[in-house]
Amino acid sequence: MLSVSEARERILAFFSPVDSQTVPLERAAGRILSGDILAKTDLPLFDNSAVDGFALHATDLDSSHRLTVIADIRAGEYFETAIKTGQSARVMTGAALPPGTSAVIMVEDTDFNVRSPGSRAPKMVTIKKAIQKGSNVRSRGDDLHTGEKVLAAGLRLRAQEIGLLAMLGESNVPVYRQPRLAVLSSGDELMPVDAALIPGKIHESNSLTLAALASTAGVELIPLGVAKDTKADIRKRLKRAVKANADVIVSSAGVSVGAFDYIKAVIEENGAIDFWKVDLRPGKPLAFGKYAGIPFFGLPGNPVSAFVGFEVFVRPALEKLSGQEVRPHPRATAYLAEPVESDGRESYLRAVVGWENGRMVARLTGSQSSGNIFSLVRANALLIVPSGVKSLLANSEVEIWPIT
């Protein structure tokens, strides 16, 4: 069996970023930049007021000056006449400073007390507080300068990046195309969620679980449905993935050594399996290879095994495919509240982790059966037992993956 790290390295070697495309800014949230963004202009573009107040000449920054107000400037307006000694202009927050001014005094620090909407500027104003040059001024280029790299390729665009791009006038953005992920389940025992169960049947859940996981990875989903335990039906559904130009195929079940596990055989008809056993618990019978040139993941049928296999192997591959830097899953350390047994495989056990007496403490959520998805629902972390370790004592320090 391959170790988890060896399997991950071999998988990632198969992948390179998909092609890029240009999308409107309003549709770019959550997408991955395919090129660097350079500032088209300075930000701010012009000196502007950070407050509602009065713009002052450099010679009138001391208190007790009585000034003539020669302009009333709102945001979006520009006053071209230079302000001279003994003069001032009322300015609103965000308004461009008129020529000749070097500071803004807040309206609260003057004798002008009329602040209701629509009020007119006074003809004269008295400064009641001394201020420094540059006070309450957002100077041109304070945030960034023209030509400066502000966003790097490979970044997932969040709300704040969308706002910055809008301020820079980037109406269209270069991003990587969303990878197309085909998801297949298999098994004669599986029935639709809304079907009434009959003896020997269960509701199909893995395709929905995997689709939900994939939705957080920023992919375009191609549902292939549930294949019957026949080569013909599996073959038909895999051909559908090829026709839809899938970038990755992920299946659940049908990759073990059961008498009716046909997926591996069908993959090898038009491709190859690179490996199919990993030193992992849960999820040992993981298959990876290619079908018709498309990377293929064959995850186990047990729901927890499918979940863990996706997080450990599929998600990093999708990150690389979508143009992101592949980064390790966020990890932390905790202390065991109880002894833990394993079977020597690298194990990802369901646990609840919380603060107790000033340190992080981990407790298993009960049964670690790979079919017990309720124990996964109760968990907020996966507790990692290293390969070769079969038991850990209470109070042992362990590594955890938060999964909230």
Side-chain angles (χ1 to χ4, degrees), residues 69-92:
V69 181
I70 67 169
D72 194 9
I73 307 171
R74 296 179 296 179
E77 296 180 336
Y78 185 72
F79 186 72
E80 296 183 355
T81 303
I83 301 297
K84 300 177 181 179
T85 300
Q87 296 178 337
S88 178
R90 186 171 76 159
V91 290
M92 300 296 105

Side-chain angles (χ1 to χ4, degrees), residues 137-222:
V137 173
R138 297 184 289 218
S139 300
R140 176 171 182 153
D142 268 356
D143 298 342
L144 52 91
H145 297 284
T146 302
E148 183 178 347
K149 184 168 82 171
V150 294
L151 299 176
L155 175 71
R156 184 182 292 277
L157 295 173
R158 305 168 297 171
Q160 49 268 53
E161 283 86 30
I162 297 298
L164 176 61
L165 290 167
M167 294 183 71
L168 291 172
E170 299 284 354
S171 59
N172 295 290
V173 187
V175 296
Y176 288 104
R177 173 178 59 77
Q178 289 181 299
R180 292 182 286 267
L181 177 68
V183 176
L184 171 69
S185 285
S186 69
D188 288 344
E189 75 279 16
L190 303 178
M191 296 187 69
V193 175
D194 58 355
L197 292 180
I198 59 177
K201 304 288 187 179
I202 61 173
H203 286 131
E204 196 280 319
S205 63
N206 280 356
S207 66
L208 295 174
T209 302
L210 295 174
L213 289 169
S215 70
T216 65
V219 303
E220 179 184 334
L221 197 65
I222 303 170

Side-chain angles (χ1 to χ4, degrees), residues 382-403:
L382 295 177
L383 185 158
I384 303 174
V385 180
S387 177
V389 176
K390 293 190 174 183
S391 64
L392 291 168
L393 299 176
N395 292 318
S396 296
E397 187 175 18
V398 292
E399 192 171 50
I400 60 167
W401 277 19
I403 58 170

Side-chain angles (χ1 to χ4, degrees), residues 247-377:
D247 296 297
V248 186
I249 300 171
V250 174
S251 75
S252 63
V255 294
S256 192
V257 292
F260 299 98
D261 291 338
Y262 294 125
I263 286 183
K264 282 198 306 174
V266 175
I267 293 295
E268 289 173 333
E269 290 176 356
N270 194 18
I273 295 294
D274 186 58
F275 61 83
W276 73 280
K277 284 186 179 181
V278 179
D279 185 30
L280 176 68
R281 175 190 178 210
K284 171 183 170 182
L286 171 92
F288 179 75
K290 282 193 174 183
Y291 178 79
I294 303 171
F296 164 81
F297 290 89
L299 301 179
N302 282 318
V304 181
S305 299
F307 179 97
V308 171
F310 186 97
E311 289 299 298
V312 175
F313 299 113
V314 181
R315 187 179 295 278
L318 293 177
E319 288 176 349
K320 186 173 181 181
L321 190 65
S322 65
Q324 301 176 73
E325 179 184 352
V326 179
R327 296 175 179 171
H329 193 290
R331 299 187 179 212
T333 57
Y335 293 88
L336 286 177
E338 58 199 347
V340 168
E341 302 293 328
S342 186
D343 64 359
R345 287 179 288 168
E346 183 169 322
S347 300
Y348 292 73
L349 308 181
R350 286 138 275 170
V352 173
V353 178
W355 285 99
E356 296 181 17
N357 300 319
R359 66 178 189 172
M360 294 287 285
V361 174
R363 286 181 169 82
L364 298 183
T365 57
S367 167
Q368 295 299 305
S369 164
S370 58
N372 185 353
I373 198 169
F374 182 56
S375 67
L376 184 60
V377 170

